[in-house]
Amino acid sequence: MIDSFRHKGLRQQLVEDIREKGIKDENILKSIGKIPRHLFLDSSFLEYAYQDKPFPIGFGQTISQPYTVAFQTELLQVKKGEKVLEIGTGSGYQACILLELGAKVFSVERHKKLYQKAKTLLPTLGYRPKLFYGDGNKGLPAFAPFDKILITAAAPEIPQELLRQLNPGGILVAPIGNLELQQMISIQKISSDKFNKQKHGSFRFVPLLEDKAND
Ligand code: SAH
């Protein structure tokens, strides 16, 4: 697993690209500058790892575009020591960004092979989020409540069960909409039945599916 000077240089360029696109949180930019994104991609995509683009990670899924990762993370306003639930582990890249920000990370993936791949790869890079194989729509009741919840796949609506598993004062960020286009939504939980919702523009994600994958 090589992280060369060239990779580091390309990564700094990516950080500057994302900064220019409007990401201001220095801790998030630092994390993107630190995490070797090329090691999360299949070798055939190595050359592209530091372009600000999503890429296939197998099984019809993608690693999100770095700008989108940074944008969602900024909306989440993660503070050191917070418990963060991610739905859609995918490559595990986003989970590593959350760990770099000092969060305790719980991440759920419905695709068994992706779950296994992340579980093997991440510790070799020094990252140890708590990874789970299952349907993220159900959250993780045994570990709830969470301070922050991040959905990294497109949902037609906000899963109510996830709002229940959010601490009062906590924030949930998710792309909500149809398969073509979603609005990035952030919701702050004021109390058990009071929520403050904001919209942050259009994005396109792979879908949040029901239940576990059989393949
Ligand atoms: N956060 C990822 C990118 C996620 S792509 C990264 O950093 O690489 C969306 C992921 O959500 C895919 O891996 C997909 O398999 C997963 N997914 C879709 N429906 C799900 C569900 N119901 N529960 C958990 N994961 C789900």
Side-chain angles (χ1 to χ4, degrees):
M1 296 243 255
I2 295 166
D3 189 26
S4 67
F5 278 118
R6 184 164 161 271
H7 290 129
K8 291 189 176 99
L10 290 170
R11 204 145 67 227
Q12 281 318 309
Q13 187 55 53
L14 174 64
V15 168
E16 294 317 314
D17 287 355
I18 292 172
R19 195 196 296 279
E20 264 173 43
K21 289 179 182 170
I23 300 299
K24 294 193 175 64
D25 187 317
E26 287 299 329
N27 291 326
I28 296 175
L29 292 167
K30 219 183 276 170
S31 310
I32 289 176
K34 183 169 172 195
I35 300 172
R37 187 173 186 256
H38 62 284
L39 300 179
F40 294 75
L41 301 179
D42 288 337
S43 54
S44 48
F45 294 109
L46 279 188
E47 287 303 306
Y48 306 101
Y50 296 108
Q51 294 184 7
D52 189 22
K53 289 186 181 156
F55 277 102
I57 51 172
F59 315 104
Q61 306 305 323
T62 56
I63 181 172
S64 303
Q65 179 177 348
Y67 171 77
T68 306
V69 171
F71 189 81
Q72 283 200 296
T73 310
E74 216 168 44
L75 290 177
L76 218 52
Q77 299 174 36
V78 177
K79 295 182 194 67
K80 269 203 180 86
E82 283 187 335
K83 267 170 78 182
V84 180
L85 172 63
E86 178 193 24
I87 308 300
T89 312
S91 68
Y93 179 78
Q94 170 76 70
C96 295
I97 298 273
L98 296 168
L99 287 171
E100 282 290 343
L101 298 177
K104 297 190 191 98
V105 181
F106 299 73
S107 185
V108 186
E109 171 58 53
R110 78 179 269 282
H111 212 298
K112 195 152 204 182
K113 295 220 169 92
L114 287 174
Y115 157 77
Q116 286 166 337
K117 210 168 159 183
K119 211 169 165 60
T120 308
L121 173 70
L122 269 45
T124 69
L125 303 175
Y127 294 106
R128 288 178 179 77
K130 293 183 175 50
L131 298 179
F132 300 82
Y133 166 56
D135 178 7
N137 287 292
K138 302 187 175 84
L140 290 174
F143 298 89
F146 297 95
D147 300 304
K148 306 286 162 67
I149 298 180
L150 175 60
I151 307 181
T152 66
E157 54 196 37
I158 295 148
Q160 290 302 308
E161 182 52 35
L162 296 184
L163 289 178
R164 270 192 286 278
Q165 293 181 22
L166 195 58
N167 255 330
I171 298 174
L172 178 147
V173 172
I176 302 294
N178 58 33
L179 292 184
E180 298 305 314
L181 206 62
Q182 303 94 40
Q183 271 289 322
M184 191 65 78
I185 303 285
S186 68
I187 295 192
Q188 184 159 37
K189 183 168 181 171
I190 309 298
S191 62
S192 60
D193 57 355
K194 206 162 167 241
F195 296 90
N196 202 340
K197 180 169 149 185
Q198 288 185 329
K199 290 183 180 174
H200 304 276
S202 303
F203 287 81
R204 189 163 183 202
F205 282 73
V206 295
L208 181 73
L209 300 166
E210 294 292 321
D211 226 334
K212 296 178 190 169
N214 297 317
D215 40 359

